[in-house]
Amino acid sequence: MRVLLIFPPSVATDRSVGFVSVGQPLGVCYLAAAAREAGHEVEILDALEEGFVLPGEEEATRAGLQRVSNGFVRRALLGPPFAPGSFTVGLTIEEVLKRVEAVRPQVVGVSAIFTSVALASLEILRGIKRIDPGITTVIGGAHPTILPEQTLRERCVDYLVWGKERERSPGFWVPSSEGSAGPTFQESVTSMATVPC
């Protein structure tokens, strides 16, 4: 199975952009390793890191880039449902969706490690469903773990990884079907290969 795992761009405002920094998306990397071990073809898109630029100060200023803690970024303003003045730090949502189209995955997993990026993660998933409703979508991270029912109300979410990605057997919340009482929780799975897709 062809799997694309996405660490989303960050969302910032002029007041918060200085706090954005790039690190390794470990949760995504742990899931990629488990999926590869299960025999899947996996690609990782780190949309935060790929949008960082490390030119010299003078070159960055000429290019209209904005300084953040450890580099420079373009400002791609976001509209509703984001707060006024919000912009992505990293690739734009449109650039992420173009990459999805190029990869043509069967399954896409998106991290929502913080509530501050959950809206961007969900916008990416909505865009994926517009591209191809048949792509299986999965969301994971702290935000969906804390708010699984709210996250699963989003039509763009097929599955939710619950708990710590680094555990060999995370649980999955499955959205409710028509007429059911609500989302159901499937206890731990033995490997990513047993995730229903």
Side-chain angles (χ1 to χ4, degrees):
M1 187 175 326
R2 200 167 39 259
V3 178
L4 175 62
L5 298 176
I6 301 172
F7 190 80
S10 191
V11 175
T13 63
D14 287 332
R15 293 184 69 190
S16 66
V17 71
F19 297 103
V20 176
S21 64
V22 174
Q24 292 77 27
L26 292 178
V28 169
C29 292
Y30 286 125
L31 284 174
R36 284 183 181 131
E37 189 176 290
H40 301 291
E41 176 187 332
V42 181
E43 185 172 328
I44 296 173
L45 170 56
D46 186 345
L48 177 58
E49 186 275 332
E50 287 193 27
F52 263 72
V53 182
L54 298 171
E57 182 91 37
E58 188 176 313
E59 181 184 340
T61 302
R62 277 197 312 266
L65 301 175
Q66 181 165 353
R67 174 178 281 290
V68 295
S69 60
N70 57 355
F72 297 88
V73 295
R74 290 174 289 129
R75 292 172 42 108
L77 287 174
L78 297 164
F82 297 91
S86 295
F87 55 91
T88 56
V89 177
L91 298 178
T92 65
I93 292 172
E94 292 78 20
E95 289 170 326
V96 170
L97 295 175
K98 285 179 185 173
R99 291 285 291 279
V100 171
E101 287 180 298
V103 172
R104 300 176 50 94
Q106 294 163 294
V107 176
V108 175
V110 179
S111 175
I113 191 167
F114 302 115
T115 296
S116 61
V117 299
L119 270 178
S121 298
L122 290 168
E123 282 297 309
I124 290 168
L125 291 175
R126 287 183 194 106
I128 289 167
K129 288 298 189 181
R130 283 191 301 274
I131 291 168
D132 182 352
I135 295 174
T136 299
T137 57
V138 182
I139 191 167
H143 179 85
T145 293
I146 293 168
L147 298 168
E149 292 89 355
Q150 176 184 338
T151 305
L152 286 170
R153 283 190 209 114
E154 298 288 339
R155 292 178 182 225
C156 58
V157 176
D158 294 323
Y159 297 96
L160 184 150
V161 177
W162 182 84
K164 298 176 183 170
E165 295 92 344
R166 67 179 172 271
E167 293 174 0
R168 298 288 297 166
S169 56
F172 286 84
W173 282 89
V174 181
S176 59
S177 57
E178 292 292 324
S180 68
T184 58
F185 181 71
Q186 177 180 333
E187 275 302 331
S188 63
V189 293
T190 55
S191 77
M192 292 299 289
T194 63
V195 175
C197 293

